[in-house]
Amino acid sequence: MLDAVTEEATAEGDVRDSRPPLLRRSDGRLIAGVARGIADHLGINVTIVRVVFAALGVNGVGVLAYVAFWILVPGEDGATRLRHPRDAIRALLRSGPGDDPHRRRKLLAYLLVGIAVASVLGATGIGIGSHTVLPLSVACIGALLIWWRAPEAQRTKWTRDARHYGSKLTRRGPLLVVLGGTGLVVVGVTSFLAANNALAQARDGALAIGATFVGVLLITGPWLFRLFRELTAERRERIREQERAEVAAHVHDSVLQTLALLQSQASDPDAVRRLARRQERELRDWLYPDAGNDSSTMTFATALRAAAADVEDSHAIAVDVVIVGDGPLDDTLSATVAAAREGMVNAAKSSGASTISVFAEVGDKGVEVFVRDRGHGFDPEKVPDHRRGIRDSIVGRMARHGGKAAIRSGPTGTEVALTLPRQARS
Amino acid sequence: MSVRVVLVDDHQLVRSGVRAELGADVDVVGEAGDVDEAVRVITATKPEVVLVDVHLPGGGGGEVIRGVHAQLPGVRFLALSVSDAAEDVIGVVRAGARGYVTKTIDGATLTDAIVRVAGGDAVFGPRLAGFVLDAFAGGEADAADDELDQLTPREREVLRLIARGYTYREAAQELVLSDRTIESHVSSVLRKLQLSNRRELARWAAGRRIV
């Protein structure tokens, strides 16, 4: 049975992008599951991703990229979190439950790959020396500090403050951290420039701009990224909140009001029943809006239902309506609805029954409507002339539109049968 | 002898209301509020009839029927619903319920329906009859349809009377048939409703709601 439940849930679930989301994995990881997560997301072999990281690691870029992914990419449940530089060291030194079984050996192998690439690059002179890596690393650590040093709630507050006041520098504590981080970034970028001056005088200008840009990006990048993510989450939350408020408002305006009325009129069964029926109908209309329910496309079914609702409300009686088929409302169908309504009113007024059954069928042969009650009945022949309801409003009306009405009444109730042949409608 | 019944509804209020309405012919031997509990209670008490709400936490009435049917094929189900999408009601009927009644049904009628379901009959109220008529509409002309995919003219007549609010007995009188014949027509319609692969059935149910 559990299987069946799961199947149903899967079948009902949206067909989403087949690509798995970018998540740090909690199993089979070497350090923090970054490479495995990327590999899963891109659909490529994890070894390729790891070799790329190792090769880039030579000049620090790989390491920085790895750390950046570690911070920015959300992890699966149980994935290693990087809240503090300590976490990184711990993740490297200790093994956890989700680790790859050959973790040490593999880490060593990738380290060797990195060193090999480094020495090849060093030998050929393509590589970028440590004078580049070091300043860049300082800058990045500065940027990361800005994020690490603040607790999660504080980060959320920054982004919120930033949204509201256009500034996150509203508090002294964070201010110091941010200043410190920014300082580190500036120092890093400056020394990077200094180290490269001799190397490329001509490119200084471009390099300066580029490096400054990178520096700014390093400071604001993660923040912007998070801000974006949180904005999306908040927008979703707001929509949900609006929907909830709408439901609450509706329940308040309708159901709660009716319940209050019911309590105040508890001694009057008729009123209670009428209120309950009306509330039930309104709630259903609201919960399950019918396709043909808007007034612009009035159909036979909606008209008949409206007539029944009207009788329910004005005569404190339950009208159960069953309609098979439907059609656009024209003159003859309107007349049929009016005749049926008259039948319901008669039943409500004089039958003594508590429920009226209405069945209508719109078919190939025409339209038929049956209005039935289980009241005490009457003799159609003995209805006094001045009671013109049945003669004019039901029988006469149907006859004028090419249909007919038959009334059967007995001790077990009354049934009004209206028939409108198809040819009468064309 | 009274019919042993289990009530399955997630609202305690509804369960006690229904329990209070049921007549002496019915003996409530258990109650449950969700699918898992229902399966446990039903397997433990082995009732004759289960009154099951269409909407339940844990998968709905259909899940209860599917969960119990393999072990206890003799247990019969009657769907109880207040205001539901046709596809839900039809889902429960197609899962194996022997009929569908609304929660506004009065106690005597409900007791009668339970006794009838216990006896192996199908219980069709006006709404379900109207639904079947609508879902199977327009099939008479198509002779290529499977026997399961269309109603006979007689079945159609019976359903129309039920939709008009007639009881089985009144319908029998109207058509000058025996009660048993009406029962067998209704059971045959129920079988078609449960087994037919008719395309319109799914489309109709998805597009409309029984309210």
Side-chain angles (χ1 to χ4, degrees), chain A residues 1 4-5 8 280 284 288 320 322-325 357 359 361 368 370 372 374 408 415, chain B residues 35-36 39 63 82-83 126-127 130 133-134 160 163-167 170 174 209 211:
Chain A
M1 190 200 69
V5 176
E8 198 167 84
E280 183 187 352
R284 279 180 181 165
Y288 313 116
D320 286 331
V322 175
I323 300 174
V324 172
S357 304
F359 171 65
E361 186 170 21
E368 285 179 285
F370 300 88
R372 186 181 174 166
R374 293 175 177 281
R408 282 202 316 194
E415 185 172 54
Chain B
V35 170
D36 292 341
V39 173
E63 281 309 320
V82 57
S83 143
R127 279 174 193 166
L133 281 172
D134 216 342
R160 294 184 80 234
R164 278 158 69 178
Y166 283 58
T167 62
E170 287 166 339
E174 180 75 18
R209 295 163 190 285
V211 287

Side-chain angles (χ1 to χ4, degrees), chain A residues 11-229:
Chain A
E12 278 171 7
D14 297 347
V15 181
R16 296 220 177 79
D17 193 356
S18 56
R19 189 184 287 267
L22 182 55
L23 283 179
R24 286 185 294 106
R25 291 282 298 270
S26 60
D27 57 322
R29 63 188 172 208
L30 291 189
I31 302 171
V34 168
R36 187 164 280 275
I38 294 174
D40 284 354
H41 180 64
L42 299 177
I44 56 176
N45 193 316
V46 65
T47 310
I48 298 172
V49 182
R50 282 180 180 151
V51 167
V52 170
F53 269 121
L56 289 174
V58 181
N59 50 31
V61 177
V63 175
L64 292 177
Y66 194 94
V67 171
F69 274 114
W70 195 345
I71 297 167
L72 297 179
V73 175
E76 290 181 335
D77 288 345
T80 322
R81 301 175 101 178
L82 188 57
R83 296 202 168 280
H84 193 274
R86 262 204 313 270
D87 297 342
I89 295 154
R90 201 176 292 154
L92 266 177
L93 295 183
R94 286 188 198 166
S95 22
D99 284 341
D100 190 288
H102 308 295
R103 179 165 173 273
R104 278 159 197 278
R105 230 180 302 161
K106 285 191 181 174
L107 273 179
L108 189 65
Y110 288 119
L111 185 64
L112 290 177
V113 169
I115 292 171
V117 173
S119 36
V120 169
L121 289 183
T124 49
I126 311 169
I128 315 163
S130 60
H131 58 283
T132 314
V133 180
L134 210 63
L136 269 183
S137 304
V138 172
C140 288
I141 288 167
L144 293 175
L145 251 184
I146 300 175
W147 282 99
W148 275 330
R149 292 305 300 170
E152 188 74 35
Q154 191 61 58
R155 291 179 210 165
T156 317
K157 181 160 168 35
W158 286 353
T159 49
R160 204 186 309 131
D161 289 348
R163 273 201 296 284
H164 285 300
Y165 314 115
S167 166
K168 60 184 177 186
L169 307 176
T170 52
R171 281 201 169 190
R172 234 178 124 227
L175 183 73
L176 286 178
V177 179
V178 170
L179 280 182
T182 313
L184 274 178
V185 173
V186 170
V187 168
V189 170
T190 315
S191 46
F192 171 77
L193 286 177
N196 282 274
N197 259 347
L199 207 80
Q201 284 283 3
R203 285 178 289 155
D204 257 6
L207 204 59
I209 293 168
T212 311
F213 181 72
V214 169
V216 169
L217 214 64
L218 278 175
I219 299 170
T220 58
W223 176 71
L224 285 175
F225 183 77
R226 272 166 192 261
L227 185 67
F228 174 75
R229 261 195 352 208

